[in-house]
Amino acid sequence: INLHLLDVCHALGIEYFVLHPGTALGAVSAAESLHGSIEWLKPFVEKAEKLGVRLCLENMFDILYNEQIIRQFGARPDEVGELVDRLNSPAVGVCWDTGHAHIARLDQKKSLQLLYSLPWWAILRTSHLSFPVPLYFSRSIISPSAVISPVIK
């Protein structure tokens, strides 16, 4: 993902830029992925603050691959919340994907209540109200790339 995408958002008047938190390759813990995500996102946060674009970190889900579960950082709301909290910037908030939460078998209400305990500026900025599709199908359409999400006003 390229920092210049934030320039594109700014030029087009797009207020929200949705990013997937990163899972550190070969990570053995969520703490490693948290640290890696913070380091990776720092330049995005700095640029977003300067341009007035808001980064929205999207909740993820663990992936079933070759009959093994591959852990993705951000599949739990507390992980997304901690990442947003540690970045500590009004330019960073949350994008809640209802389909991802459903695949992760999360209690939507409890998850959102946890996220609403974050500082006022970090609370849910945008959402992807999606309906889950069979996992074999969703793998073909979900990518780790950023999604530029204009907000309907």
Side-chain angles (χ1 to χ4, degrees):
I1 298 172
N2 192 309
L3 275 173
H4 296 298
L5 290 173
L6 292 174
D7 293 316
V8 173
C9 288
H10 179 69
L12 295 175
I14 296 171
E15 186 176 356
Y16 296 104
F17 183 75
V18 177
L19 289 167
H20 293 174
T23 300
L25 295 176
V28 294
S29 70
E32 287 177 293
S33 287
L34 173 65
H35 176 74
S37 290
I38 290 169
E39 292 305 310
W40 176 69
L41 286 167
K42 279 181 183 178
F44 285 90
V45 173
E46 290 171 12
K47 189 159 192 164
E49 288 172 345
K50 289 177 188 170
L51 295 175
V53 175
R54 299 179 189 266
L55 303 176
C56 300
L57 303 178
E58 184 175 355
N59 61 303
M60 302 305 298
F61 60 91
D62 296 332
I63 298 172
L64 180 62
Y65 181 75
N66 286 340
E67 298 184 25
Q68 292 185 335
I69 293 177
I70 299 174
R71 183 78 177 88
Q72 285 205 96
F73 181 72
R76 295 178 14 197
D78 57 312
E79 293 172 344
V80 176
E82 185 175 3
L83 178 57
V84 169
D85 193 49
R86 296 270 301 272
L87 287 167
N88 194 29
S89 169
V92 180
V94 175
C95 170
W96 187 253
D97 188 308
T98 59
H100 288 180
H102 179 79
I103 292 167
R105 295 187 172 110
L106 295 176
D107 180 313
Q108 302 268 359
K109 183 178 178 181
K110 286 181 183 176
S111 297
L112 289 170
Q113 286 173 334
L114 184 142
L115 292 173
Y116 271 87
S117 68
L118 292 171
W120 67 268
W121 46 260
I123 294 175
L124 191 66
R125 293 277 173 76
T126 187
S127 61
H128 292 163
L129 300 175
S130 57
F131 300 96
V133 293
L135 190 56
Y136 68 86
F137 177 73
S138 67
R139 277 195 207 140
S140 66
I141 59 171
I142 295 173
S143 73
S145 62
V147 178
I148 298 175
S149 177
V151 175
I152 300 171
K153 296 186 180 195

mmCIF file of all heavy atoms in Angstrom, residues 68-110:
data_model
loop_
_atom_site.group_PDB
_atom_site.id
_atom_site.type_symbol
_atom_site.label_atom_id
_atom_site.label_comp_id
_atom_site.label_asym_id
_atom_site.label_seq_id
_atom_site.Cartn_x
_atom_site.Cartn_y
_atom_site.Cartn_z
ATOM 1 N N GLN A 68 -5.871 -25.683 8.325
ATOM 2 C CA GLN A 68 -5.233 -25.034 9.465
ATOM 3 C C GLN A 68 -5.775 -23.616 9.584
ATOM 4 O O GLN A 68 -6.073 -22.966 8.582
ATOM 5 C CB GLN A 68 -3.713 -24.964 9.277
ATOM 6 C CG GLN A 68 -3.029 -26.300 9.332
ATOM 7 C CD GLN A 68 -1.519 -26.131 9.261
ATOM 8 O OE1 GLN A 68 -1.018 -25.147 8.734
ATOM 9 N NE2 GLN A 68 -0.802 -27.099 9.788
ATOM 10 N N ILE A 69 -5.875 -23.160 10.813
ATOM 11 C CA ILE A 69 -6.332 -21.792 11.033
ATOM 12 C C ILE A 69 -5.105 -20.885 11.042
ATOM 13 O O ILE A 69 -4.166 -21.097 11.798
ATOM 14 C CB ILE A 69 -7.109 -21.661 12.354
ATOM 15 C CG1 ILE A 69 -8.411 -22.454 12.242
ATOM 16 C CG2 ILE A 69 -7.386 -20.196 12.670
ATOM 17 C CD1 ILE A 69 -9.248 -22.468 13.491
ATOM 18 N N ILE A 70 -5.143 -19.887 10.162
ATOM 19 C CA ILE A 70 -4.076 -18.891 10.112
ATOM 20 C C ILE A 70 -4.585 -17.655 10.815
ATOM 21 O O ILE A 70 -5.577 -17.041 10.419
ATOM 22 C CB ILE A 70 -3.679 -18.577 8.657
ATOM 23 C CG1 ILE A 70 -3.166 -19.846 7.997
ATOM 24 C CG2 ILE A 70 -2.647 -17.455 8.614
ATOM 25 C CD1 ILE A 70 -2.888 -19.714 6.535
ATOM 26 N N ARG A 71 -3.925 -17.322 11.889
ATOM 27 C CA ARG A 71 -4.318 -16.203 12.742
ATOM 28 C C ARG A 71 -4.043 -14.883 12.046
ATOM 29 O O ARG A 71 -2.965 -14.673 11.499
ATOM 30 C CB ARG A 71 -3.516 -16.311 14.040
ATOM 31 C CG ARG A 71 -3.825 -15.293 15.071
ATOM 32 C CD ARG A 71 -5.112 -15.625 15.808
ATOM 33 N NE ARG A 71 -5.311 -14.655 16.839
ATOM 34 C CZ ARG A 71 -5.948 -13.505 16.637
ATOM 35 N NH1 ARG A 71 -6.467 -13.222 15.485
ATOM 36 N NH2 ARG A 71 -6.071 -12.647 17.613
ATOM 37 N N GLN A 72 -5.032 -13.993 12.029
ATOM 38 C CA GLN A 72 -4.847 -12.649 11.497
ATOM 39 C C GLN A 72 -4.989 -11.642 12.628
ATOM 40 O O GLN A 72 -5.986 -11.662 13.352
ATOM 41 C CB GLN A 72 -5.881 -12.329 10.412
ATOM 42 C CG GLN A 72 -5.609 -13.007 9.096
ATOM 43 C CD GLN A 72 -6.239 -12.236 7.968
ATOM 44 O OE1 GLN A 72 -5.578 -11.438 7.327
ATOM 45 N NE2 GLN A 72 -7.517 -12.474 7.733
ATOM 46 N N PHE A 73 -4.014 -10.780 12.746
ATOM 47 C CA PHE A 73 -4.092 -9.728 13.744
ATOM 48 C C PHE A 73 -5.262 -8.809 13.394
ATOM 49 O O PHE A 73 -5.460 -8.457 12.241
ATOM 50 C CB PHE A 73 -2.791 -8.921 13.789
ATOM 51 C CG PHE A 73 -2.815 -7.836 14.807
ATOM 52 C CD1 PHE A 73 -2.749 -8.136 16.145
ATOM 53 C CD2 PHE A 73 -2.930 -6.512 14.418
ATOM 54 C CE1 PHE A 73 -2.794 -7.142 17.100
ATOM 55 C CE2 PHE A 73 -2.968 -5.503 15.352
ATOM 56 C CZ PHE A 73 -2.902 -5.819 16.695
ATOM 57 N N GLY A 74 -6.033 -8.436 14.386
ATOM 58 C CA GLY A 74 -7.194 -7.585 14.175
ATOM 59 C C GLY A 74 -8.488 -8.368 14.045
ATOM 60 O O GLY A 74 -9.535 -7.793 13.795
ATOM 61 N N ALA A 75 -8.409 -9.688 14.224
ATOM 62 C CA ALA A 75 -9.625 -10.501 14.158
ATOM 63 C C ALA A 75 -10.449 -10.357 15.436
ATOM 64 O O ALA A 75 -11.613 -10.728 15.457
ATOM 65 C CB ALA A 75 -9.277 -11.971 13.922
ATOM 66 N N ARG A 76 -9.833 -9.827 16.474
ATOM 67 C CA ARG A 76 -10.547 -9.597 17.736
ATOM 68 C C ARG A 76 -10.678 -8.093 17.949
ATOM 69 O O ARG A 76 -9.733 -7.338 17.692
ATOM 70 C CB ARG A 76 -9.772 -10.234 18.888
ATOM 71 C CG ARG A 76 -9.703 -11.735 18.783
ATOM 72 C CD ARG A 76 -8.920 -12.414 19.871
ATOM 73 N NE ARG A 76 -8.625 -11.587 21.014
ATOM 74 C CZ ARG A 76 -7.689 -11.874 21.914
ATOM 75 N NH1 ARG A 76 -6.982 -12.977 21.795
ATOM 76 N NH2 ARG A 76 -7.453 -11.076 22.929
ATOM 77 N N PRO A 77 -11.822 -7.643 18.432
ATOM 78 C CA PRO A 77 -12.016 -6.196 18.595
ATOM 79 C C PRO A 77 -11.025 -5.569 19.573
ATOM 80 O O PRO A 77 -10.642 -4.407 19.399
ATOM 81 C CB PRO A 77 -13.457 -6.065 19.090
ATOM 82 C CG PRO A 77 -13.828 -7.414 19.602
ATOM 83 C CD PRO A 77 -13.006 -8.399 18.841
ATOM 84 N N ASP A 78 -10.576 -6.328 20.578
ATOM 85 C CA ASP A 78 -9.602 -5.760 21.514
ATOM 86 C C ASP A 78 -8.270 -5.480 20.821
ATOM 87 O O ASP A 78 -7.562 -4.539 21.169
ATOM 88 C CB ASP A 78 -9.405 -6.662 22.732
ATOM 89 C CG ASP A 78 -8.962 -8.070 22.372
ATOM 90 O OD1 ASP A 78 -9.573 -8.685 21.481
ATOM 91 O OD2 ASP A 78 -7.999 -8.562 22.988
ATOM 92 N N GLU A 79 -7.923 -6.266 19.792
ATOM 93 C CA GLU A 79 -6.692 -6.024 19.046
ATOM 94 C C GLU A 79 -6.805 -4.748 18.211
ATOM 95 O O GLU A 79 -5.886 -3.919 18.204
ATOM 96 C CB GLU A 79 -6.361 -7.213 18.140
ATOM 97 C CG GLU A 79 -6.008 -8.468 18.904
ATOM 98 C CD GLU A 79 -5.869 -9.698 18.026
ATOM 99 O OE1 GLU A 79 -6.330 -9.690 16.861
ATOM 100 O OE2 GLU A 79 -5.305 -10.686 18.529
ATOM 101 N N VAL A 80 -7.930 -4.581 17.532
ATOM 102 C CA VAL A 80 -8.151 -3.363 16.748
ATOM 103 C C VAL A 80 -8.157 -2.163 17.693
ATOM 104 O O VAL A 80 -7.526 -1.136 17.420
ATOM 105 C CB VAL A 80 -9.473 -3.431 15.951
ATOM 106 C CG1 VAL A 80 -9.736 -2.129 15.214
ATOM 107 C CG2 VAL A 80 -9.460 -4.594 14.981
ATOM 108 N N GLY A 81 -8.862 -2.306 18.808
ATOM 109 C CA GLY A 81 -8.938 -1.219 19.786
ATOM 110 C C GLY A 81 -7.579 -0.842 20.340
ATOM 111 O O GLY A 81 -7.257 0.345 20.457
ATOM 112 N N GLU A 82 -6.765 -1.835 20.668
ATOM 113 C CA GLU A 82 -5.436 -1.533 21.206
ATOM 114 C C GLU A 82 -4.562 -0.853 20.164
ATOM 115 O O GLU A 82 -3.823 0.085 20.469
ATOM 116 C CB GLU A 82 -4.741 -2.797 21.718
ATOM 117 C CG GLU A 82 -3.412 -2.483 22.386
ATOM 118 C CD GLU A 82 -2.735 -3.672 23.030
ATOM 119 O OE1 GLU A 82 -3.251 -4.811 22.925
ATOM 120 O OE2 GLU A 82 -1.674 -3.459 23.635
ATOM 121 N N LEU A 83 -4.652 -1.299 18.922
ATOM 122 C CA LEU A 83 -3.871 -0.674 17.859
ATOM 123 C C LEU A 83 -4.275 0.792 17.691
ATOM 124 O O LEU A 83 -3.411 1.678 17.648
ATOM 125 C CB LEU A 83 -4.050 -1.442 16.539
ATOM 126 C CG LEU A 83 -3.333 -0.886 15.314
ATOM 127 C CD1 LEU A 83 -1.837 -0.760 15.540
ATOM 128 C CD2 LEU A 83 -3.626 -1.782 14.113
ATOM 129 N N VAL A 84 -5.558 1.056 17.632
ATOM 130 C CA VAL A 84 -6.043 2.434 17.494
ATOM 131 C C VAL A 84 -5.606 3.261 18.698
ATOM 132 O O VAL A 84 -5.108 4.382 18.561
ATOM 133 C CB VAL A 84 -7.588 2.457 17.333
ATOM 134 C CG1 VAL A 84 -8.137 3.868 17.460
ATOM 135 C CG2 VAL A 84 -7.978 1.841 16.003
ATOM 136 N N ASP A 85 -5.752 2.696 19.881
ATOM 137 C CA ASP A 85 -5.373 3.395 21.110
ATOM 138 C C ASP A 85 -3.881 3.715 21.134
ATOM 139 O O ASP A 85 -3.473 4.822 21.482
ATOM 140 C CB ASP A 85 -5.771 2.542 22.320
ATOM 141 C CG ASP A 85 -5.693 3.315 23.615
ATOM 142 O OD1 ASP A 85 -6.220 4.438 23.679
ATOM 143 O OD2 ASP A 85 -5.090 2.786 24.575
ATOM 144 N N ARG A 86 -3.054 2.760 20.746
ATOM 145 C CA ARG A 86 -1.591 2.952 20.776
ATOM 146 C C ARG A 86 -1.120 3.944 19.704
ATOM 147 O O ARG A 86 -0.122 4.626 19.901
ATOM 148 C CB ARG A 86 -0.876 1.615 20.589
ATOM 149 C CG ARG A 86 -1.113 0.616 21.711
ATOM 150 C CD ARG A 86 -0.122 0.696 22.860
ATOM 151 N NE ARG A 86 1.247 0.498 22.465
ATOM 152 C CZ ARG A 86 1.873 -0.682 22.381
ATOM 153 N NH1 ARG A 86 1.229 -1.786 22.671
ATOM 154 N NH2 ARG A 86 3.131 -0.737 22.016
ATOM 155 N N LEU A 87 -1.828 4.034 18.589
ATOM 156 C CA LEU A 87 -1.469 5.020 17.569
ATOM 157 C C LEU A 87 -1.807 6.432 18.045
ATOM 158 O O LEU A 87 -1.202 7.403 17.618
ATOM 159 C CB LEU A 87 -2.151 4.707 16.240
ATOM 160 C CG LEU A 87 -1.572 3.498 15.513
ATOM 161 C CD1 LEU A 87 -2.482 3.052 14.371
ATOM 162 C CD2 LEU A 87 -0.167 3.768 15.004
ATOM 163 N N ASN A 88 -2.810 6.536 18.922
ATOM 164 C CA ASN A 88 -3.119 7.769 19.639
ATOM 165 C C ASN A 88 -3.183 9.005 18.741
ATOM 166 O O ASN A 88 -2.471 9.980 18.966
ATOM 167 C CB ASN A 88 -2.096 7.972 20.764
ATOM 168 C CG ASN A 88 -2.546 9.031 21.750
ATOM 169 O OD1 ASN A 88 -3.742 9.230 21.953
ATOM 170 N ND2 ASN A 88 -1.601 9.715 22.351
ATOM 171 N N SER A 89 -4.034 8.953 17.744
ATOM 172 C CA SER A 89 -4.170 10.089 16.832
ATOM 173 C C SER A 89 -5.629 10.271 16.442
ATOM 174 O O SER A 89 -6.313 9.303 16.119
ATOM 175 C CB SER A 89 -3.347 9.837 15.566
ATOM 176 O OG SER A 89 -3.662 10.795 14.582
ATOM 177 N N PRO A 90 -6.086 11.518 16.432
ATOM 178 C CA PRO A 90 -7.447 11.780 15.951
ATOM 179 C C PRO A 90 -7.638 11.403 14.479
ATOM 180 O O PRO A 90 -8.758 11.355 14.000
ATOM 181 C CB PRO A 90 -7.628 13.283 16.153
ATOM 182 C CG PRO A 90 -6.591 13.677 17.139
ATOM 183 C CD PRO A 90 -5.449 12.721 16.962
ATOM 184 N N ALA A 91 -6.539 11.130 13.782
ATOM 185 C CA ALA A 91 -6.630 10.727 12.380
ATOM 186 C C ALA A 91 -6.890 9.229 12.235
ATOM 187 O O ALA A 91 -7.015 8.730 11.128
ATOM 188 C CB ALA A 91 -5.345 11.094 11.635
ATOM 189 N N VAL A 92 -6.987 8.509 13.345
ATOM 190 C CA VAL A 92 -7.151 7.049 13.301
ATOM 191 C C VAL A 92 -8.426 6.642 14.019
ATOM 192 O O VAL A 92 -8.688 7.077 15.136
ATOM 193 C CB VAL A 92 -5.942 6.331 13.952
ATOM 194 C CG1 VAL A 92 -6.121 4.824 13.892
ATOM 195 C CG2 VAL A 92 -4.645 6.743 13.271
ATOM 196 N N GLY A 93 -9.206 5.813 13.363
ATOM 197 C CA GLY A 93 -10.433 5.295 13.954
ATOM 198 C C GLY A 93 -10.670 3.864 13.510
ATOM 199 O O GLY A 93 -9.751 3.188 13.058
ATOM 200 N N VAL A 94 -11.899 3.420 13.615
ATOM 201 C CA VAL A 94 -12.251 2.031 13.353
ATOM 202 C C VAL A 94 -13.240 1.929 12.197
ATOM 203 O O VAL A 94 -14.151 2.746 12.085
ATOM 204 C CB VAL A 94 -12.875 1.382 14.616
ATOM 205 C CG1 VAL A 94 -13.373 -0.025 14.335
ATOM 206 C CG2 VAL A 94 -11.876 1.379 15.767
ATOM 207 N N CYS A 95 -13.051 0.918 11.369
ATOM 208 C CA CYS A 95 -14.050 0.494 10.392
ATOM 209 C C CYS A 95 -14.507 -0.889 10.848
ATOM 210 O O CYS A 95 -13.697 -1.812 10.939
ATOM 211 C CB CYS A 95 -13.459 0.402 8.986
ATOM 212 S SG CYS A 95 -14.584 -0.388 7.807
ATOM 213 N N TRP A 96 -15.780 -1.029 11.149
ATOM 214 C CA TRP A 96 -16.309 -2.319 11.603
ATOM 215 C C TRP A 96 -16.945 -3.041 10.425
ATOM 216 O O TRP A 96 -17.889 -2.543 9.824
ATOM 217 C CB TRP A 96 -17.325 -2.126 12.722
ATOM 218 C CG TRP A 96 -17.752 -3.428 13.306
ATOM 219 C CD1 TRP A 96 -18.944 -4.051 13.133
ATOM 220 C CD2 TRP A 96 -16.970 -4.282 14.139
ATOM 221 N NE1 TRP A 96 -18.956 -5.239 13.813
ATOM 222 C CE2 TRP A 96 -17.749 -5.407 14.438
ATOM 223 C CE3 TRP A 96 -15.679 -4.204 14.664
ATOM 224 C CZ2 TRP A 96 -17.294 -6.440 15.228
ATOM 225 C CZ3 TRP A 96 -15.217 -5.233 15.458
ATOM 226 C CH2 TRP A 96 -16.028 -6.345 15.731
ATOM 227 N N ASP A 97 -16.409 -4.201 10.087
ATOM 228 C CA ASP A 97 -16.951 -5.017 9.008
ATOM 229 C C ASP A 97 -17.821 -6.101 9.626
ATOM 230 O O ASP A 97 -17.312 -7.009 10.295
ATOM 231 C CB ASP A 97 -15.811 -5.626 8.194
ATOM 232 C CG ASP A 97 -16.302 -6.339 6.946
ATOM 233 O OD1 ASP A 97 -17.201 -7.203 7.063
ATOM 234 O OD2 ASP A 97 -15.779 -6.056 5.858
ATOM 235 N N THR A 98 -19.134 -6.002 9.413
ATOM 236 C CA THR A 98 -20.058 -6.955 10.033
ATOM 237 C C THR A 98 -19.867 -8.364 9.480
ATOM 238 O O THR A 98 -20.030 -9.339 10.208
ATOM 239 C CB THR A 98 -21.518 -6.524 9.819
ATOM 240 O OG1 THR A 98 -21.793 -6.435 8.417
ATOM 241 C CG2 THR A 98 -21.798 -5.184 10.488
ATOM 242 N N GLY A 99 -19.493 -8.474 8.213
ATOM 243 C CA GLY A 99 -19.252 -9.791 7.626
ATOM 244 C C GLY A 99 -18.026 -10.455 8.219
ATOM 245 O O GLY A 99 -18.042 -11.652 8.532
ATOM 246 N N HIS A 100 -16.951 -9.678 8.397
ATOM 247 C CA HIS A 100 -15.749 -10.223 9.033
ATOM 248 C C HIS A 100 -16.065 -10.673 10.458
ATOM 249 O O HIS A 100 -15.611 -11.740 10.892
ATOM 250 C CB HIS A 100 -14.628 -9.179 9.064
ATOM 251 C CG HIS A 100 -14.011 -8.910 7.732
ATOM 252 N ND1 HIS A 100 -12.994 -7.999 7.575
ATOM 253 C CD2 HIS A 100 -14.255 -9.411 6.497
ATOM 254 C CE1 HIS A 100 -12.630 -7.959 6.304
ATOM 255 N NE2 HIS A 100 -13.393 -8.803 5.627
ATOM 256 N N ALA A 101 -16.835 -9.860 11.177
ATOM 257 C CA ALA A 101 -17.186 -10.220 12.554
ATOM 258 C C ALA A 101 -18.030 -11.494 12.591
ATOM 259 O O ALA A 101 -17.874 -12.333 13.475
ATOM 260 C CB ALA A 101 -17.927 -9.073 13.227
ATOM 261 N N HIS A 102 -18.911 -11.633 11.610
ATOM 262 C CA HIS A 102 -19.748 -12.833 11.548
ATOM 263 C C HIS A 102 -18.889 -14.073 11.278
ATOM 264 O O HIS A 102 -19.054 -15.104 11.930
ATOM 265 C CB HIS A 102 -20.815 -12.676 10.465
ATOM 266 C CG HIS A 102 -21.697 -13.872 10.331
ATOM 267 N ND1 HIS A 102 -22.739 -14.113 11.197
ATOM 268 C CD2 HIS A 102 -21.676 -14.908 9.469
ATOM 269 C CE1 HIS A 102 -23.327 -15.258 10.860
ATOM 270 N NE2 HIS A 102 -22.700 -15.754 9.807
ATOM 271 N N ILE A 103 -17.972 -13.962 10.316
ATOM 272 C CA ILE A 103 -17.083 -15.086 10.010
ATOM 273 C C ILE A 103 -16.248 -15.450 11.231
ATOM 274 O O ILE A 103 -16.007 -16.624 11.508
ATOM 275 C CB ILE A 103 -16.181 -14.745 8.802
ATOM 276 C CG1 ILE A 103 -17.025 -14.638 7.534
ATOM 277 C CG2 ILE A 103 -15.089 -15.796 8.625
ATOM 278 C CD1 ILE A 103 -16.294 -14.016 6.353
ATOM 279 N N ALA A 104 -15.833 -14.435 11.998
ATOM 280 C CA ALA A 104 -15.037 -14.660 13.205
ATOM 281 C C ALA A 104 -15.891 -15.136 14.383
ATOM 282 O O ALA A 104 -15.379 -15.389 15.471
ATOM 283 C CB ALA A 104 -14.286 -13.390 13.589
ATOM 284 N N ARG A 105 -17.204 -15.222 14.156
ATOM 285 C CA ARG A 105 -18.164 -15.654 15.179
ATOM 286 C C ARG A 105 -18.134 -14.753 16.423
ATOM 287 O O ARG A 105 -18.183 -15.217 17.558
ATOM 288 C CB ARG A 105 -17.930 -17.117 15.563
ATOM 289 C CG ARG A 105 -18.202 -18.064 14.415
ATOM 290 C CD ARG A 105 -18.123 -19.513 14.869
ATOM 291 N NE ARG A 105 -18.562 -20.385 13.797
ATOM 292 C CZ ARG A 105 -17.751 -21.181 13.124
ATOM 293 N NH1 ARG A 105 -16.475 -21.221 13.408
ATOM 294 N NH2 ARG A 105 -18.228 -21.951 12.174
ATOM 295 N N LEU A 106 -18.028 -13.458 16.172
ATOM 296 C CA LEU A 106 -18.016 -12.493 17.270
ATOM 297 C C LEU A 106 -19.432 -12.055 17.607
ATOM 298 O O LEU A 106 -20.296 -12.012 16.742
ATOM 299 C CB LEU A 106 -17.205 -11.258 16.878
ATOM 300 C CG LEU A 106 -15.721 -11.467 16.634
ATOM 301 C CD1 LEU A 106 -15.084 -10.158 16.164
ATOM 302 C CD2 LEU A 106 -15.027 -11.973 17.880
ATOM 303 N N ASP A 107 -19.642 -11.708 18.849
ATOM 304 C CA ASP A 107 -20.885 -11.087 19.277
ATOM 305 C C ASP A 107 -20.781 -9.619 18.855
ATOM 306 O O ASP A 107 -19.981 -8.863 19.414
ATOM 307 C CB ASP A 107 -21.033 -11.221 20.798
ATOM 308 C CG ASP A 107 -22.305 -10.593 21.330
ATOM 309 O OD1 ASP A 107 -22.622 -9.445 20.950
ATOM 310 O OD2 ASP A 107 -22.972 -11.257 22.136
ATOM 311 N N GLN A 108 -21.569 -9.233 17.857
ATOM 312 C CA GLN A 108 -21.464 -7.883 17.282
ATOM 313 C C GLN A 108 -21.687 -6.803 18.350
ATOM 314 O O GLN A 108 -20.926 -5.841 18.429
ATOM 315 C CB GLN A 108 -22.480 -7.702 16.149
ATOM 316 C CG GLN A 108 -22.349 -8.696 15.031
ATOM 317 C CD GLN A 108 -21.449 -8.251 13.887
ATOM 318 O OE1 GLN A 108 -20.904 -7.166 13.876
ATOM 319 N NE2 GLN A 108 -21.292 -9.120 12.905
ATOM 320 N N LYS A 109 -22.713 -6.988 19.167
ATOM 321 C CA LYS A 109 -23.041 -5.973 20.169
ATOM 322 C C LYS A 109 -21.910 -5.807 21.181
ATOM 323 O O LYS A 109 -21.470 -4.683 21.455
ATOM 324 C CB LYS A 109 -24.346 -6.338 20.887
ATOM 325 C CG LYS A 109 -24.786 -5.295 21.887
ATOM 326 C CD LYS A 109 -26.107 -5.671 22.526
ATOM 327 C CE LYS A 109 -26.512 -4.640 23.558
ATOM 328 N NZ LYS A 109 -27.780 -4.995 24.204
ATOM 329 N N LYS A 110 -21.398 -6.901 21.726
ATOM 330 C CA LYS A 110 -20.314 -6.824 22.708
ATOM 331 C C LYS A 110 -19.045 -6.247 22.090
ATOM 332 O O LYS A 110 -18.327 -5.482 22.726
ATOM 333 C CB LYS A 110 -20.018 -8.201 23.301
ATOM 334 C CG LYS A 110 -21.065 -8.676 24.286
ATOM 335 C CD LYS A 110 -20.703 -10.023 24.854
ATOM 336 C CE LYS A 110 -21.796 -10.516 25.779
ATOM 337 N NZ LYS A 110 -21.522 -11.869 26.289
#
